Amino acid sequence: MVTDRKDRPVFIYALILRREEPSTYLVTGDRALREAANKVEKDLAVTVDEELRLPGKLSIS
C-alpha cells in the first residue's frame, strides 16, 4: 500500500505502535502516506491540523 520505499519503515512502526497503544497516530503532511496508512488502519495517519483537534489536545486560535 505504501509506495514510497522510504516511508515503509515509518508506516510499519506506526502500525505496530497503534496495535500496542490504540491512541497512537502518525502525524504527516505526506498525502500519499496518509491515504495508504488510513486504508490499512482507520485513522492511523492524520495531518497536523487534525492532530490539534483530537480530543484532549489544546486548540490554537
Side-chain angles (χ1 to χ4, degrees):
M1 300 287 310
V2 178
T3 56
D4 189 337
R5 292 176 58 105
K6 293 181 286 182
D7 290 338
R8 289 177 187 165
V10 174
F11 164 71
I12 295 297
Y13 188 62
L15 193 57
I16 290 169
L17 289 176
R18 169 59 79 86
R19 300 272 161 84
E20 292 176 2
E21 177 55 54
S23 64
T24 300
Y25 295 91
L26 170 62
V27 180
T28 181
D30 185 327
R31 175 186 264 173
L33 174 58
R34 192 172 60 250
E35 289 175 356
N38 288 335
K39 284 181 183 176
V40 173
E41 179 83 22
K42 186 177 186 309
D43 298 326
L44 172 63
V46 296
T47 64
V48 172
D49 288 339
E50 291 168 333
E51 196 275 337
L52 291 173
R53 293 187 186 100
L54 290 172
K57 300 289 181 181
L58 296 175
S59 64
I60 297 175
S61 305

